[in-house]
């Protein structure tokens, strides 16, 4: 495998903090509708039930900035896709683009 490295001409890294720190972290976000507080309160509450490493980084970011007001109900983690649950009466889905599109969630 190392021998193949001599043929590499480009390397692309994501910027989640995993390369420089060894732990994923939220570094930037854009809320397309509503307020950041509502968005992160819902998302953080949902992600608290997830075991995914990225979920833990979202929860860590949220718990220092926005309140958790309730517990999710009907939580389901779909491996390789994302999560779904209800938070404060809101049907919530979080995950990869395909998972969001399958749930008819508009992805900008």
């Amino acid at each position: 495998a190392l021998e193949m490295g001599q043929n590499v001409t480009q390397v692309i890294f994501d910027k989640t903090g995993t390369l420089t720190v060894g732990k994923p972290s939220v570094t930037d976000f854009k809320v397309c509708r509503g307020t950041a507080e509502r968005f992160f309160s819902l998302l953080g509450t949902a992600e608290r039930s997830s075991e995914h490493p990225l979920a833990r980084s979202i929860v860590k970011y949220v718990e220092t900035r926005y309140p958790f007001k309730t517990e999710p109900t009907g939580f389901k983690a779909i491996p390789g896709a994302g999560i779904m649950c209800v938070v404060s009466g809101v049907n919530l889905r979080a995950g990869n683009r395909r998972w969001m599109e399958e749930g008819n969630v508009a992805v900008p």
Side-chain angles (χ1 to χ4, degrees), residues 39 42-44 46-47 50 52 54-55 58 75-85 91-103 105-108:
F39 173 79
L42 292 171
L43 181 62
E47 293 288 10
S50 178
H52 195 283
L54 295 179
I58 291 168
F75 180 87
K76 291 182 185 174
I78 312 304
I83 63 168
M84 61 190 297
C85 63
N91 290 320
L92 194 135
R93 219 176 235 247
N96 65 33
R97 179 176 289 273
R98 185 173 35 124
W99 174 245
M100 302 301 280
E101 290 171 349
E102 286 175 8
V105 177
V107 180

Side-chain angles (χ1 to χ4, degrees), residues 10-98:
Q10 296 179 1
V11 177
I12 300 171
F13 296 103
D14 67 13
K15 299 302 282 179
T16 60
T18 54
L19 179 65
T20 56
V21 183
K23 295 181 182 178
S25 63
V26 175
T27 59
D28 196 20
F29 65 89
K30 178 180 179 182
V31 176
C32 297
R33 195 171 64 198
T35 66
E37 180 176 355
R38 176 148 171 82
F39 173 79
F40 278 112
S41 291
L42 292 171
L43 181 62
T45 298
E47 293 288 10
R48 278 195 300 184
S49 297
S50 178
E51 296 178 0
H52 195 283
L54 295 179
R56 285 189 225 114
S57 66
I58 291 168
V59 170
K60 184 176 179 181
Y61 178 85
V62 172
E63 68 188 1
T64 61
R65 293 166 177 83
Y66 305 102
F68 292 118
K69 297 179 181 173
T70 187
E71 292 294 321
T73 58
F75 180 87
K76 291 182 185 174
I78 312 304
I83 63 168
M84 61 190 297
C85 63
V86 178
V87 177
S88 298
V90 176
N91 290 320
L92 194 135
R93 219 176 235 247
N96 65 33
R97 179 176 289 273
R98 185 173 35 124

